[in-house]
Amino acid sequence: MTDVSAPSGDEAALRARPRADGSAPRALVIGATGYLGGRLVPRLLRAGYRVRVLARSPERAKSFAWGAEVEVVGGDASDAQAVASAVADVDVLYYLVHSMSAGPAFEEADRTAARTVAAAASRAGVSRIVYLGGLHPDDAPLSPHLRSRVEVGRILLDSGVPTLVLQAGVVIGSGSASFEMVRHLTEVLPYMPAPRWVRNRIQPIAVRDVLYYLLGAAHVPASANRTVDIGGPDVLRYGQMMNGYAVEAGLRQRAIAALPVLTPRLASHWVNLVTPIPRAIARPLVESLQNDCVVKDGDIDALIPPPAGGLTPYRRAVALALGRVRDDDVETSWRDAEVSAVPSDPLPSDPDWSGRTVFVDARTAFTAASPERLWDVVEGIGGENGWYSSPVLWAVRGWMDRLVGGVGLARGRRSRRRVAVGDALDFWRVEALEPGRLLRLRAEMKVPGLAWLELRVTPDDGGARYDQRAVFFPRGLAGRLYWLAVLPFHGFIFRGMANRITAAARAS
């Protein structure tokens, strides 16, 4: 269940204003399963709105954490009947859809959907439409996707319903396609041959600030029917954005060479080659960077005052997106099992190619031994008891760690049979412990990244199941090369470890 009772910070100042009859206003979100829509819905709920969503796949919408708290109407934005049902008795309509497909057909699809929604909203007497468009210069040719966004904004502005078109550039948050391109390019390439647009000026904005403006847009006067630019406090060149990311990610700053020969088409192929971002998405992203992309005026401040603490600087937005800090400056790691309310966090609905790169080696084995016997073996791992696999390879890894200034295997363990959170186990540290169930170790050996080893015991049909995961967050290209270098040894080490741990439990 989504917590809808406690808006925080600036969200509390943007609570829904009751209707004349005292009932809560209704918000319709078109695009609720997208990057921003999925983050906006729970904030609308916390602000006191009754929320309805229009979703092509109702099952997918209901699978979100907030799915049980909203009304779901099946259909897409070009389905006149579905849209008519969705806009009934709606006060504010959020239009957060835009095609990222290729070819001329997407412009007509965007146009048809916008006209369908505009007409239905006008007939239903919707009080306000809020649309998120793309930040762009007024005096330069636009890419097809930016041109289509501008056209959609005009259609909504001409609908007869008061409309606020918020135009944003690069959105900084885990899962945002723009941010993911910065992330992956910076992490993979220590040296980047790049198009000339790396020198263009860009005004990125944190996802939390975009959501703040979206919430605030519901409160602007009915007389406001216009386009307004939004951006963060920093104006940077794209190359500076990459190096700002590198600093926050603990990487060396990247050497970037601007080459005049890389056309948008070639650049999108290049991005697709060195990052997991699909070319169909990379190309519109690259095309949108062909010109300076900065806020032209401060008109937004007269409509929606800035957040009480000010807009989020770029470097802090990156740190939040990386999970290095939260609102209370607490470090986080992959072990956080649930998505928090922080909008910079990844959501389960984000694309597979978004988020930090994670390498995982997962093994499962079964034993007829009891879970208690298996746990005794797991809890006793390391030190004099060893690691149950390839002792020579473990010893070599320990020697290598000592050679580069690491702790090696010499620390052993404090107790032969029991461990506690914080204990050292050779070159690991006990990070989490659920007696009888889970032992999670954080690596303290010298590696180009962050590493964990998780050992889990589960009762299984009269015996026990053993699950083992090695998780590695690579740092830059060196981290990726390190994982590839040790990958051939995983079959010996981790497979043998799982098999021998379960065998030891059976023999004990």
Side-chain angles (χ1 to χ4, degrees), residues 438-496:
L438 171 70
L439 175 65
R440 182 179 298 127
L441 309 175
R442 185 182 70 248
E444 292 189 338
M445 76 279 280
K446 298 286 187 179
V447 290
L450 302 172
W452 291 264
L453 180 62
E454 181 180 272
L455 315 177
R456 187 181 296 272
V457 174
T458 308
D460 183 81
D461 194 23
R465 169 176 168 152
Y466 172 74
D467 290 294
Q468 172 184 293
R469 287 203 309 165
V471 180
F472 183 60
F473 287 180
R475 182 180 297 116
L477 182 61
R480 288 160 172 79
L481 294 177
Y482 169 81
W483 180 263
L484 291 174
V486 300
L487 194 59
F489 300 102
H490 285 179
F492 298 107
I493 295 174
F494 292 128
R495 183 175 62 245

Short mmCIF file of all heavy atoms in Angstrom, two decimals, residues 438-496:
data_model
loop_
_atom_site.label_atom_id
_atom_site.label_comp_id
_atom_site.label_asym_id
_atom_site.label_seq_id
_atom_site.Cartn_x
_atom_site.Cartn_y
_atom_site.Cartn_z
N LEU A 438 20.26 -15.52 6.66
CA LEU A 438 21.01 -14.66 5.73
C LEU A 438 22.31 -14.17 6.34
O LEU A 438 22.35 -13.71 7.48
CB LEU A 438 20.16 -13.44 5.34
CG LEU A 438 20.87 -12.34 4.54
CD1 LEU A 438 21.16 -12.83 3.12
CD2 LEU A 438 20.02 -11.08 4.49
N LEU A 439 23.37 -14.26 5.54
CA LEU A 439 24.66 -13.66 5.87
C LEU A 439 25.10 -12.84 4.65
O LEU A 439 25.25 -13.39 3.56
CB LEU A 439 25.70 -14.73 6.20
CG LEU A 439 27.13 -14.23 6.43
CD1 LEU A 439 27.20 -13.35 7.68
CD2 LEU A 439 28.10 -15.41 6.56
N ARG A 440 25.27 -11.53 4.84
CA ARG A 440 25.72 -10.68 3.73
C ARG A 440 27.05 -10.05 4.10
O ARG A 440 27.20 -9.44 5.16
CB ARG A 440 24.70 -9.59 3.40
CG ARG A 440 25.15 -8.72 2.22
CD ARG A 440 24.13 -7.65 1.88
NE ARG A 440 22.88 -8.24 1.48
CZ ARG A 440 21.70 -7.94 2.02
NH1 ARG A 440 21.63 -7.06 3.00
NH2 ARG A 440 20.60 -8.52 1.60
N LEU A 441 28.02 -10.23 3.22
CA LEU A 441 29.38 -9.74 3.43
C LEU A 441 29.70 -8.65 2.42
O LEU A 441 29.40 -8.79 1.24
CB LEU A 441 30.39 -10.89 3.28
CG LEU A 441 30.11 -12.16 4.09
CD1 LEU A 441 31.13 -13.23 3.73
CD2 LEU A 441 30.12 -11.86 5.58
N ARG A 442 30.32 -7.59 2.90
CA ARG A 442 30.79 -6.51 2.02
C ARG A 442 32.30 -6.62 1.85
O ARG A 442 33.04 -6.77 2.82
CB ARG A 442 30.45 -5.15 2.62
CG ARG A 442 30.80 -3.98 1.71
CD ARG A 442 30.51 -2.63 2.35
NE ARG A 442 31.44 -2.35 3.45
CZ ARG A 442 31.11 -2.30 4.72
NH1 ARG A 442 29.87 -2.54 5.11
NH2 ARG A 442 32.02 -2.04 5.65
N ALA A 443 32.76 -6.57 0.60
CA ALA A 443 34.18 -6.75 0.31
C ALA A 443 34.99 -5.56 0.81
O ALA A 443 34.61 -4.41 0.61
CB ALA A 443 34.39 -6.92 -1.19
N GLU A 444 36.14 -5.85 1.45
CA GLU A 444 37.08 -4.81 1.84
C GLU A 444 38.43 -5.00 1.16
O GLU A 444 39.40 -4.33 1.49
CB GLU A 444 37.23 -4.78 3.37
CG GLU A 444 35.95 -4.32 4.07
CD GLU A 444 36.14 -4.09 5.55
OE1 GLU A 444 37.09 -4.64 6.15
OE2 GLU A 444 35.32 -3.33 6.12
N MET A 445 38.49 -5.93 0.19
CA MET A 445 39.70 -6.05 -0.60
C MET A 445 39.73 -4.90 -1.62
O MET A 445 38.73 -4.22 -1.85
CB MET A 445 39.77 -7.41 -1.30
CG MET A 445 38.89 -7.58 -2.52
SD MET A 445 37.18 -7.97 -2.14
CE MET A 445 37.29 -9.72 -1.80
N LYS A 446 40.88 -4.66 -2.20
CA LYS A 446 41.03 -3.59 -3.18
C LYS A 446 40.45 -4.05 -4.52
O LYS A 446 40.99 -4.95 -5.17
CB LYS A 446 42.50 -3.23 -3.36
CG LYS A 446 43.18 -2.69 -2.11
CD LYS A 446 42.72 -1.28 -1.81
CE LYS A 446 43.52 -0.69 -0.65
NZ LYS A 446 43.13 0.69 -0.35
N VAL A 447 39.34 -3.45 -4.92
CA VAL A 447 38.73 -3.75 -6.21
C VAL A 447 38.24 -2.45 -6.83
O VAL A 447 37.90 -1.51 -6.10
CB VAL A 447 37.54 -4.73 -6.08
CG1 VAL A 447 38.02 -6.12 -5.70
CG2 VAL A 447 36.52 -4.24 -5.09
N PRO A 448 38.19 -2.37 -8.16
CA PRO A 448 37.69 -1.14 -8.81
C PRO A 448 36.17 -1.11 -8.83
O PRO A 448 35.53 -1.19 -9.87
CB PRO A 448 38.27 -1.25 -10.22
CG PRO A 448 38.41 -2.71 -10.46
CD PRO A 448 38.73 -3.32 -9.12
N GLY A 449 35.60 -1.01 -7.64
CA GLY A 449 34.15 -0.99 -7.52
C GLY A 449 33.74 -1.42 -6.12
O GLY A 449 34.54 -1.38 -5.18
N LEU A 450 32.49 -1.81 -5.98
CA LEU A 450 31.94 -2.28 -4.70
C LEU A 450 31.44 -3.71 -4.88
O LEU A 450 30.84 -4.03 -5.90
CB LEU A 450 30.78 -1.38 -4.26
CG LEU A 450 31.10 0.11 -4.08
CD1 LEU A 450 29.81 0.90 -3.83
CD2 LEU A 450 32.08 0.31 -2.94
N ALA A 451 31.69 -4.55 -3.88
CA ALA A 451 31.34 -5.97 -4.02
C ALA A 451 30.72 -6.50 -2.73
O ALA A 451 31.08 -6.07 -1.63
CB ALA A 451 32.59 -6.79 -4.38
N TRP A 452 29.79 -7.44 -2.91
CA TRP A 452 29.13 -8.11 -1.79
C TRP A 452 29.04 -9.61 -2.09
O TRP A 452 29.02 -10.02 -3.26
CB TRP A 452 27.70 -7.58 -1.59
CG TRP A 452 27.59 -6.18 -1.10
CD1 TRP A 452 27.43 -5.77 0.19
CD2 TRP A 452 27.58 -5.00 -1.90
NE1 TRP A 452 27.33 -4.39 0.24
CE2 TRP A 452 27.42 -3.90 -1.01
CE3 TRP A 452 27.69 -4.74 -3.27
CZ2 TRP A 452 27.38 -2.59 -1.46
CZ3 TRP A 452 27.66 -3.43 -3.72
CH2 TRP A 452 27.50 -2.38 -2.81
N LEU A 453 28.96 -10.39 -1.03
CA LEU A 453 28.71 -11.82 -1.14
C LEU A 453 27.56 -12.14 -0.19
O LEU A 453 27.66 -11.88 1.01
CB LEU A 453 29.96 -12.63 -0.77
CG LEU A 453 29.83 -14.16 -0.85
CD1 LEU A 453 29.51 -14.60 -2.28
CD2 LEU A 453 31.11 -14.83 -0.35
N GLU A 454 26.49 -12.69 -0.74
CA GLU A 454 25.30 -12.97 0.05
C GLU A 454 25.04 -14.46 0.08
O GLU A 454 24.99 -15.12 -0.97
CB GLU A 454 24.09 -12.24 -0.56
CG GLU A 454 22.80 -12.44 0.20
CD GLU A 454 21.64 -11.72 -0.45
OE1 GLU A 454 21.42 -10.54 -0.13
OE2 GLU A 454 20.97 -12.32 -1.32
N LEU A 455 24.85 -15.02 1.29
CA LEU A 455 24.60 -16.44 1.48
C LEU A 455 23.26 -16.57 2.21
O LEU A 455 23.08 -16.00 3.29
CB LEU A 455 25.71 -17.09 2.31
CG LEU A 455 27.17 -16.72 1.93
CD1 LEU A 455 28.15 -17.38 2.87
CD2 LEU A 455 27.45 -17.09 0.49
N ARG A 456 22.34 -17.36 1.64
CA ARG A 456 20.99 -17.44 2.19
C ARG A 456 20.57 -18.90 2.34
O ARG A 456 20.84 -19.73 1.45
CB ARG A 456 20.01 -16.70 1.28
CG ARG A 456 18.59 -16.57 1.82
CD ARG A 456 17.70 -15.85 0.83
NE ARG A 456 18.12 -14.48 0.62
CZ ARG A 456 17.71 -13.45 1.36
NH1 ARG A 456 16.85 -13.66 2.35
NH2 ARG A 456 18.12 -12.23 1.10
N VAL A 457 19.89 -19.21 3.44
CA VAL A 457 19.41 -20.57 3.72
C VAL A 457 17.89 -20.53 3.83
O VAL A 457 17.32 -19.69 4.54
CB VAL A 457 20.00 -21.11 5.04
CG1 VAL A 457 19.38 -22.45 5.40
CG2 VAL A 457 21.52 -21.22 4.93
N THR A 458 17.21 -21.48 3.12
CA THR A 458 15.75 -21.55 3.13
C THR A 458 15.32 -23.00 3.28
O THR A 458 15.85 -23.88 2.58
CB THR A 458 15.17 -21.00 1.81
OG1 THR A 458 15.69 -19.71 1.55
CG2 THR A 458 13.65 -20.92 1.87
N PRO A 459 14.38 -23.30 4.19
CA PRO A 459 13.87 -24.68 4.29
C PRO A 459 13.27 -25.11 2.95
O PRO A 459 12.64 -24.30 2.25
CB PRO A 459 12.79 -24.58 5.38
CG PRO A 459 13.16 -23.36 6.18
CD PRO A 459 13.77 -22.40 5.20
N ASP A 460 13.46 -26.39 2.60
CA ASP A 460 12.97 -26.86 1.30
C ASP A 460 12.66 -28.35 1.35
O ASP A 460 13.57 -29.18 1.33
CB ASP A 460 14.02 -26.58 0.20
CG ASP A 460 13.52 -26.97 -1.17
OD1 ASP A 460 12.77 -26.18 -1.77
OD2 ASP A 460 13.89 -28.07 -1.63
N ASP A 461 11.39 -28.70 1.43
CA ASP A 461 10.90 -30.07 1.28
C ASP A 461 11.71 -31.08 2.09
O ASP A 461 12.26 -32.05 1.56
CB ASP A 461 10.93 -30.44 -0.21
CG ASP A 461 10.14 -31.71 -0.50
OD1 ASP A 461 9.25 -32.04 0.31
OD2 ASP A 461 10.42 -32.37 -1.53
N GLY A 462 11.81 -30.84 3.39
CA GLY A 462 12.53 -31.75 4.26
C GLY A 462 14.02 -31.52 4.31
O GLY A 462 14.72 -32.14 5.12
N GLY A 463 14.54 -30.66 3.46
CA GLY A 463 15.97 -30.33 3.45
C GLY A 463 16.15 -28.83 3.50
O GLY A 463 15.44 -28.12 4.20
N ALA A 464 17.10 -28.36 2.73
CA ALA A 464 17.38 -26.92 2.73
C ALA A 464 17.86 -26.49 1.35
O ALA A 464 18.49 -27.25 0.61
CB ALA A 464 18.42 -26.58 3.78
N ARG A 465 17.54 -25.26 1.04
CA ARG A 465 18.01 -24.63 -0.20
C ARG A 465 19.07 -23.60 0.15
O ARG A 465 18.91 -22.82 1.08
CB ARG A 465 16.85 -23.96 -0.92
CG ARG A 465 17.26 -23.06 -2.08
CD ARG A 465 16.07 -22.51 -2.80
NE ARG A 465 16.45 -21.43 -3.71
CZ ARG A 465 15.79 -21.12 -4.81
NH1 ARG A 465 14.71 -21.82 -5.14
NH2 ARG A 465 16.18 -20.14 -5.59
N TYR A 466 20.15 -23.60 -0.61
CA TYR A 466 21.24 -22.66 -0.41
C TYR A 466 21.32 -21.73 -1.62
O TYR A 466 21.47 -22.18 -2.75
CB TYR A 466 22.56 -23.41 -0.24
CG TYR A 466 23.78 -22.53 -0.20
CD1 TYR A 466 24.08 -21.76 0.92
CD2 TYR A 466 24.64 -22.47 -1.30
CE1 TYR A 466 25.21 -20.96 0.95
CE2 TYR A 466 25.78 -21.68 -1.28
CZ TYR A 466 26.06 -20.92 -0.15
OH TYR A 466 27.18 -20.12 -0.12
N ASP A 467 21.19 -20.42 -1.39
CA ASP A 467 21.32 -19.42 -2.45
C ASP A 467 22.53 -18.55 -2.17
O ASP A 467 22.72 -18.06 -1.05
CB ASP A 467 20.06 -18.55 -2.52
CG ASP A 467 18.86 -19.31 -3.04
OD1 ASP A 467 18.89 -19.70 -4.21
OD2 ASP A 467 17.91 -19.51 -2.26
N GLN A 468 23.31 -18.34 -3.21
CA GLN A 468 24.57 -17.60 -3.07
C GLN A 468 24.64 -16.56 -4.19
O GLN A 468 24.43 -16.89 -5.36
CB GLN A 468 25.73 -18.59 -3.16
CG GLN A 468 27.11 -18.01 -3.22
CD GLN A 468 28.14 -19.11 -3.41
OE1 GLN A 468 28.35 -19.94 -2.52
NE2 GLN A 468 28.76 -19.14 -4.58
N ARG A 469 24.92 -15.33 -3.83
CA ARG A 469 25.04 -14.27 -4.84
C ARG A 469 26.30 -13.46 -4.60
O ARG A 469 26.54 -12.97 -3.49
CB ARG A 469 23.85 -13.30 -4.79
CG ARG A 469 22.56 -13.84 -5.32
CD ARG A 469 21.62 -12.71 -5.75
NE ARG A 469 21.44 -11.71 -4.70
CZ ARG A 469 20.93 -10.51 -4.92
NH1 ARG A 469 20.57 -10.16 -6.13
NH2 ARG A 469 20.77 -9.67 -3.92
N ALA A 470 27.09 -13.30 -5.64
CA ALA A 470 28.18 -12.33 -5.64
C ALA A 470 27.72 -11.15 -6.47
O ALA A 470 27.31 -11.31 -7.63
CB ALA A 470 29.44 -12.95 -6.24
N VAL A 471 27.73 -9.96 -5.88
CA VAL A 471 27.24 -8.75 -6.53
C VAL A 471 28.38 -7.76 -6.65
O VAL A 471 29.08 -7.50 -5.66
CB VAL A 471 26.07 -8.13 -5.74
CG1 VAL A 471 25.56 -6.87 -6.42
CG2 VAL A 471 24.94 -9.12 -5.57
N PHE A 472 28.55 -7.18 -7.84
CA PHE A 472 29.66 -6.25 -8.06
C PHE A 472 29.17 -5.01 -8.80
O PHE A 472 28.52 -5.10 -9.83
CB PHE A 472 30.76 -6.93 -8.88
CG PHE A 472 31.98 -6.07 -9.12
CD1 PHE A 472 32.71 -5.59 -8.04
CD2 PHE A 472 32.39 -5.75 -10.41
CE1 PHE A 472 33.83 -4.80 -8.25
CE2 PHE A 472 33.51 -4.98 -10.62
CZ PHE A 472 34.23 -4.50 -9.55
N PHE A 473 29.44 -3.85 -8.22
CA PHE A 473 29.19 -2.56 -8.87
C PHE A 473 30.52 -2.07 -9.43
O PHE A 473 31.38 -1.62 -8.68
CB PHE A 473 28.69 -1.52 -7.87
CG PHE A 473 27.28 -1.70 -7.40
CD1 PHE A 473 26.74 -0.82 -6.48
CD2 PHE A 473 26.48 -2.72 -7.87
CE1 PHE A 473 25.43 -0.96 -6.04
CE2 PHE A 473 25.18 -2.88 -7.44
CZ PHE A 473 24.65 -2.00 -6.52
N PRO A 474 30.75 -2.17 -10.74
CA PRO A 474 32.04 -1.73 -11.29
C PRO A 474 32.18 -0.22 -11.25
O PRO A 474 31.20 0.52 -11.36
CB PRO A 474 31.98 -2.24 -12.74
CG PRO A 474 30.52 -2.24 -13.07
CD PRO A 474 29.82 -2.62 -11.79
N ARG A 475 33.41 0.24 -11.06
CA ARG A 475 33.71 1.66 -11.13
C ARG A 475 34.47 1.92 -12.43
O ARG A 475 35.62 1.53 -12.59
CB ARG A 475 34.53 2.13 -9.93
CG ARG A 475 34.84 3.63 -9.94
CD ARG A 475 35.67 4.06 -8.75
NE ARG A 475 34.95 3.85 -7.51
CZ ARG A 475 35.34 3.01 -6.55
NH1 ARG A 475 36.45 2.30 -6.72
NH2 ARG A 475 34.64 2.87 -5.46
N GLY A 476 33.79 2.55 -13.38
CA GLY A 476 34.42 2.91 -14.63
C GLY A 476 34.80 1.71 -15.48
O GLY A 476 34.38 0.56 -15.25
N LEU A 477 35.62 1.97 -16.48
CA LEU A 477 36.06 0.91 -17.39
C LEU A 477 36.90 -0.13 -16.66
O LEU A 477 36.80 -1.32 -16.94
CB LEU A 477 36.85 1.52 -18.54
CG LEU A 477 37.36 0.55 -19.62
CD1 LEU A 477 36.20 -0.15 -20.29
CD2 LEU A 477 38.22 1.29 -20.64
N ALA A 478 37.72 0.31 -15.69
CA ALA A 478 38.57 -0.63 -14.95
C ALA A 478 37.72 -1.67 -14.24
O ALA A 478 38.09 -2.85 -14.18
CB ALA A 478 39.44 0.13 -13.96
N GLY A 479 36.58 -1.25 -13.68
CA GLY A 479 35.72 -2.20 -12.99
C GLY A 479 35.14 -3.23 -13.92
O GLY A 479 35.03 -4.42 -13.58
N ARG A 480 34.74 -2.81 -15.11
CA ARG A 480 34.18 -3.74 -16.08
C ARG A 480 35.25 -4.73 -16.55
O ARG A 480 34.98 -5.92 -16.71
CB ARG A 480 33.60 -2.97 -17.26
CG ARG A 480 32.30 -2.24 -16.90
CD ARG A 480 32.00 -1.11 -17.88
NE ARG A 480 30.67 -0.55 -17.64
CZ ARG A 480 30.39 0.31 -16.67
NH1 ARG A 480 31.34 0.70 -15.83
NH2 ARG A 480 29.17 0.78 -16.52
N LEU A 481 36.46 -4.24 -16.79
CA LEU A 481 37.54 -5.12 -17.21
C LEU A 481 37.91 -6.10 -16.10
O LEU A 481 38.23 -7.27 -16.37
CB LEU A 481 38.75 -4.30 -17.64
CG LEU A 481 38.55 -3.42 -18.89
CD1 LEU A 481 39.80 -2.59 -19.15
CD2 LEU A 481 38.22 -4.29 -20.10
N TYR A 482 37.87 -5.63 -14.86
CA TYR A 482 38.16 -6.52 -13.72
C TYR A 482 37.17 -7.67 -13.68
O TYR A 482 37.55 -8.83 -13.51
CB TYR A 482 38.11 -5.71 -12.42
CG TYR A 482 38.13 -6.57 -11.18
CD1 TYR A 482 39.33 -7.07 -10.67
CD2 TYR A 482 36.95 -6.87 -10.50
CE1 TYR A 482 39.34 -7.86 -9.53
CE2 TYR A 482 36.95 -7.67 -9.36
CZ TYR A 482 38.16 -8.16 -8.88
OH TYR A 482 38.17 -8.95 -7.76
N TRP A 483 35.88 -7.37 -13.83
CA TRP A 483 34.86 -8.42 -13.78
C TRP A 483 35.08 -9.43 -14.91
O TRP A 483 34.98 -10.65 -14.69
CB TRP A 483 33.47 -7.81 -13.86
CG TRP A 483 32.37 -8.84 -13.82
CD1 TRP A 483 31.70 -9.38 -14.89
CD2 TRP A 483 31.82 -9.47 -12.66
NE1 TRP A 483 30.77 -10.29 -14.46
CE2 TRP A 483 30.82 -10.37 -13.10
CE3 TRP A 483 32.07 -9.35 -11.30
CZ2 TRP A 483 30.08 -11.14 -12.21
CZ3 TRP A 483 31.32 -10.12 -10.41
CH2 TRP A 483 30.34 -11.00 -10.88
N LEU A 484 35.37 -8.92 -16.09
CA LEU A 484 35.61 -9.83 -17.21
C LEU A 484 36.84 -10.70 -16.96
O LEU A 484 36.88 -11.87 -17.34
CB LEU A 484 35.78 -9.03 -18.50
CG LEU A 484 34.53 -8.32 -19.02
CD1 LEU A 484 34.88 -7.46 -20.23
CD2 LEU A 484 33.45 -9.33 -19.38
N ALA A 485 37.87 -10.12 -16.30
CA ALA A 485 39.10 -10.88 -16.05
C ALA A 485 38.87 -12.01 -15.06
O ALA A 485 39.46 -13.09 -15.19
CB ALA A 485 40.19 -9.93 -15.54
N VAL A 486 38.02 -11.78 -14.05
CA VAL A 486 37.82 -12.82 -13.03
C VAL A 486 36.67 -13.75 -13.39
O VAL A 486 36.50 -14.80 -12.74
CB VAL A 486 37.57 -12.20 -11.64
CG1 VAL A 486 38.75 -11.35 -11.21
CG2 VAL A 486 36.29 -11.38 -11.61
N LEU A 487 35.91 -13.42 -14.42
CA LEU A 487 34.74 -14.22 -14.77
C LEU A 487 35.07 -15.69 -15.03
O LEU A 487 34.34 -16.59 -14.57
CB LEU A 487 34.04 -13.61 -15.99
CG LEU A 487 32.63 -14.10 -16.31
CD1 LEU A 487 31.70 -13.85 -15.12
CD2 LEU A 487 32.10 -13.39 -17.56
N PRO A 488 36.18 -16.01 -15.73
CA PRO A 488 36.48 -17.43 -15.97
C PRO A 488 36.70 -18.23 -14.68
O PRO A 488 36.49 -19.44 -14.66
CB PRO A 488 37.76 -17.38 -16.82
CG PRO A 488 37.74 -16.03 -17.45
CD PRO A 488 37.12 -15.12 -16.44
N PHE A 489 37.13 -17.55 -13.62
CA PHE A 489 37.41 -18.26 -12.36
C PHE A 489 36.15 -18.47 -11.52
O PHE A 489 36.17 -19.26 -10.57
CB PHE A 489 38.45 -17.49 -11.55
CG PHE A 489 39.75 -17.31 -12.28
CD1 PHE A 489 40.06 -16.10 -12.88
CD2 PHE A 489 40.65 -18.35 -12.39
CE1 PHE A 489 41.25 -15.93 -13.55
CE2 PHE A 489 41.85 -18.20 -13.06
CZ PHE A 489 42.16 -16.99 -13.65
N HIS A 490 35.07 -17.76 -11.85
CA HIS A 490 33.85 -17.89 -11.05
C HIS A 490 33.29 -19.30 -11.09
O HIS A 490 32.73 -19.79 -10.11
CB HIS A 490 32.80 -16.90 -11.54
CG HIS A 490 33.08 -15.49 -11.12
ND1 HIS A 490 32.29 -14.42 -11.47
CD2 HIS A 490 34.10 -14.97 -10.40
CE1 HIS A 490 32.80 -13.31 -10.98
NE2 HIS A 490 33.90 -13.62 -10.33
N GLY A 491 33.44 -19.96 -12.24
CA GLY A 491 32.94 -21.32 -12.33
C GLY A 491 33.62 -22.24 -11.33
O GLY A 491 32.98 -23.12 -10.74
N PHE A 492 34.94 -22.03 -11.12
CA PHE A 492 35.66 -22.86 -10.16
C PHE A 492 35.32 -22.44 -8.72
O PHE A 492 35.04 -23.28 -7.88
CB PHE A 492 37.18 -22.71 -10.36
CG PHE A 492 37.65 -23.16 -11.71
CD1 PHE A 492 38.03 -22.23 -12.66
CD2 PHE A 492 37.71 -24.50 -12.04
CE1 PHE A 492 38.48 -22.63 -13.91
CE2 PHE A 492 38.16 -24.93 -13.28
CZ PHE A 492 38.54 -23.98 -14.22
N ILE A 493 35.33 -21.13 -8.50
CA ILE A 493 35.22 -20.65 -7.12
C ILE A 493 33.79 -20.72 -6.61
O ILE A 493 33.50 -21.38 -5.60
CB ILE A 493 35.75 -19.20 -7.02
CG1 ILE A 493 37.25 -19.18 -7.34
CG2 ILE A 493 35.49 -18.63 -5.63
CD1 ILE A 493 37.85 -17.78 -7.41
N PHE A 494 32.87 -20.05 -7.30
CA PHE A 494 31.52 -19.92 -6.75
C PHE A 494 30.68 -21.18 -6.91
O PHE A 494 29.90 -21.53 -6.03
CB PHE A 494 30.82 -18.70 -7.36
CG PHE A 494 31.43 -17.39 -6.93
CD1 PHE A 494 31.81 -16.45 -7.86
CD2 PHE A 494 31.63 -17.12 -5.59
CE1 PHE A 494 32.38 -15.25 -7.46
CE2 PHE A 494 32.20 -15.92 -5.17
CZ PHE A 494 32.58 -14.99 -6.11
N ARG A 495 30.84 -21.89 -8.04
CA ARG A 495 30.10 -23.15 -8.18
C ARG A 495 30.61 -24.17 -7.16
O ARG A 495 29.83 -24.85 -6.48
CB ARG A 495 30.22 -23.69 -9.59
CG ARG A 495 29.40 -24.98 -9.79
CD ARG A 495 29.41 -25.47 -11.22
NE ARG A 495 30.75 -25.81 -11.68
CZ ARG A 495 31.39 -25.17 -12.65
NH1 ARG A 495 30.82 -24.15 -13.28
NH2 ARG A 495 32.60 -25.55 -13.04
N GLY A 496 31.93 -24.27 -7.05
CA GLY A 496 32.50 -25.20 -6.08
C GLY A 496 32.13 -24.83 -4.66
O GLY A 496 31.89 -25.71 -3.81
#
